[in-house]
Amino acid sequence: SSTAMLFRLAGSDVVGSVLGRRLASGYLALIGDSSITSAYGTGGTVEIAGLQAGQREAISLTLGTSGNSFFALLRGSADFAMSVNKITPAEAERLSSLGDMTSPASEHVIAIQGIAALVSPGNRVPSLTLTQLRGILSGRIADWSEVGETQGPIHVYVVDNKGGTADTPHDQLLTQDGLAASAKVVATEQLLAAAVAVDRGAIGFAGFGNTGSARVVPLAETGGGPITPTDLTISTESYPLTRRLYLYNATNSSNSFVRRFLDYIYSPGGQAAVDAAGFVPLTVRSEAVPVPEAASERFRTLVAGATRVSIDFRFQPGSKDLDNRGLRDLERLATFVKGQRVSPSRMILVGFADNSGTPTANQIVSQKRIESVVAALSRNGMPPGKVATFGAELPIGDNATPEGRERNRRVEVYIAPQ
């Protein structure tokens, strides 16, 4: 009998190989399919299939790189592009026949990945900066004594990028210099973590869910303090090596399953699949966190005894408008506050800016951004109790880079004690 193809995903193996499969089989189970299987189909695709009233229906996954995914979407050979990178203006322009790819209808942040820097448990290097990591990867820094640990050659381990056809954990650290010739290439993140754990000179990179028995090194960007990856620091994107996992679809997609699949991904069941796949879900949590050492007295007083919520609102570049994750986070925050039966008046919003303007200008722009969040929450019947801006204080990103400045422009959320 023939198979009904519900929809097709193509792109990054980071998004697809474990998470994509889990979401596809979870969706088939949700719509009532039985006998769900996963097998290789034609042309290297993976088919996740089930039976619905005797009819076989399937979802296909074509795994490769983020870059390829947009071509598949444009060619019409995929309904979703899976990417570990935000679509570039040039790519969005090329896909403009499919709609505005940066709009909330087309761009979906479905999970957050943290990339951990791993060393052996015997290695006592206290923390590393991203600049040091880049030097180590390229071979410019070849001895541990150059980064504050006792002398000894550094052995770099990386996951195989399969000749450029796979996205890897160390991708976002690679510079023009490329990878040190001496780097040891390992097939999987699990094997990498195991190899690093028993090699005193080793360092390697793996997803936060695949750290094994290796030691995870706290990381810092220039100008910021070292941050250890946790569910909270990855979810708020304050840990330096985080990346958003994206799905993109044509704005005007005529396939009704596209919208339904997205609804499932954003649901508690879909986000539980994200968690099970080793990524950090977008589910809102709150926990007590230490106040950064560099914090001012004013900041300490404001957040004394408060718990930190796992959302940092971020904005469209050069704008006071929330980005697409932020728009969804507004709804998630409102749901969380209602669900916890917390009075909205206990919410504290804390705004930060980058250091590119004068302190006064920074204060004004972070005030405008925070006001747009307050207005949106108030429309949801959730006016926060306290609001404060701190300009360029407490940077978490490197203010010398556009990406770092974008990470510094943020609104943090706290819940005051009762």
Side-chain angles (χ1 to χ4, degrees):
S1 70
S2 67
T3 297
M5 185 60 68
L6 304 186
F7 53 88
R8 302 149 305 161
L9 298 120
S12 176
D13 57 324
V14 173
V15 186
S17 60
V18 180
L19 178 56
R21 285 184 194 207
R22 273 187 189 270
L23 289 170
S25 53
Y27 179 70
L28 290 179
L30 177 76
I31 62 174
D33 281 32
S34 58
S35 314
I36 298 168
T37 57
S38 169
Y40 282 95
T42 51
T45 61
V46 178
E47 263 191 17
I48 294 89
L51 291 174
Q52 176 92 252
Q55 162 76 48
R56 186 174 185 270
E57 24 184 50
I59 297 165
S60 79
L61 275 169
T62 308
L63 302 177
T65 62
S66 299
N68 303 349
S69 68
F70 298 118
F71 288 118
L73 205 56
L74 189 57
R75 277 200 310 270
S77 61
D79 300 289
F80 287 106
M82 305 180 285
S83 179
V84 292
N85 304 309
K86 187 177 171 61
I87 195 167
T88 64
E91 287 164 337
E93 180 60 37
R94 213 165 36 237
L95 270 64
S96 57
S97 60
L98 304 178
D100 176 1
M101 298 315 283
T102 62
S103 71
S106 283
E107 180 182 76
H108 311 279
V109 178
I110 63 167
I112 311 293
Q113 182 184 33
I115 306 292
L118 305 180
V119 294
S120 80
N123 184 323
R124 302 272 33 110
V125 66
S127 66
L128 291 166
T129 66
L130 295 196
T131 308
Q132 288 172 327
L133 288 183
R134 291 191 174 100
I136 287 169
L137 261 182
S138 66
R140 285 196 312 277
I141 296 176
D143 196 283
W144 282 108
S145 58
E146 296 174 67
V147 291
E149 171 53 337
T150 47
Q151 202 168 357
I154 296 176
H155 307 148
V156 176
Y157 289 76
V158 294
V159 173
D160 189 2
N161 76 348
K162 303 188 177 73
T165 62
D167 290 329
T168 64
H170 61 279
D171 279 348
Q172 64 188 115
L173 284 166
L174 278 182
T175 59
Q176 279 65 36
D177 304 342
L179 195 56
S182 60
K184 299 177 169 64
V185 178
V186 187
T188 68
E189 294 181 34
Q190 289 84 349
L191 288 171
L192 179 142
V196 167
V198 296
D199 176 351
R200 183 71 176 75
I203 187 166
F205 302 90
F208 176 60
N210 291 325
T211 55
S213 56
R215 177 178 159 244
V216 176
V217 182
L219 300 182
E221 279 197 58
T222 308
I227 296 176
T228 304
T230 64
D231 277 357
L232 187 96
T233 61
I234 293 167
S235 184
T236 56
E237 299 173 86
S238 39
Y239 172 67
L241 278 187
T242 53
R243 57 185 178 189
R244 298 176 172 194
L245 304 189
Y246 292 94
L247 284 187
Y248 287 90
N249 59 273
T251 310
N252 46 12
S253 173
S254 57
N255 183 340
S256 63
F257 286 105
V258 164
R259 183 65 36 213
R260 288 184 236 169
F261 183 56
L262 289 166
D263 288 342
Y264 162 66
I265 291 173
Y266 284 130
S267 76
Q271 288 299 302
V274 167
D275 197 20
F279 299 109
V280 175
L282 300 163
T283 319
V284 182
R285 306 169 292 291
S286 73
E287 57 185 75
V289 295
V291 176
E293 282 171 31
S296 61
E297 202 47 54
R298 179 173 155 249
F299 179 82
R300 286 175 192 280
T301 307
L302 181 68
V303 301
T307 54
R308 175 128 180 226
V309 177
S310 61
I311 286 175
D312 278 13
F313 288 106
R314 286 192 170 75
F315 302 86
Q316 306 279 5
S319 156
K320 67 179 191 353
D321 298 329
L322 284 165
D323 64 14
N324 288 338
R325 176 184 173 186
L327 293 171
R328 288 265 174 186
D329 278 340
L330 279 172
E331 297 166 30
R332 291 186 192 109
L333 180 60
T335 306
F336 172 76
V337 170
K338 286 178 186 135
Q340 297 282 316
R341 299 202 162 83
V342 167
S343 160
S345 64
R346 283 173 56 199
M347 268 196 289
I348 306 168
L349 298 190
V350 185
F352 295 94
D354 60 31
N355 71 351
S356 54
T358 63
T360 315
N362 278 338
Q363 203 65 24
I364 291 167
V365 75
S366 68
Q367 191 69 38
K368 283 208 168 91
R369 290 198 182 104
I370 209 163
E371 278 165 10
S372 74
V373 178
V374 171
L377 286 168
S378 302
R379 283 196 294 275
N380 268 333
M382 295 267 150
K386 287 186 181 160
V387 175
T389 56
F390 287 82
E393 270 187 52
L394 296 178
I396 53 171
D398 181 353
N399 272 312
T401 68
E403 301 78 24
R405 289 194 294 275
E406 201 167 313
R407 292 191 35 224
N408 288 334
R409 300 192 286 266
R410 68 197 189 277
V411 171
E412 299 179 353
V413 184
Y414 295 82
I415 306 281
Q418 271 181 312

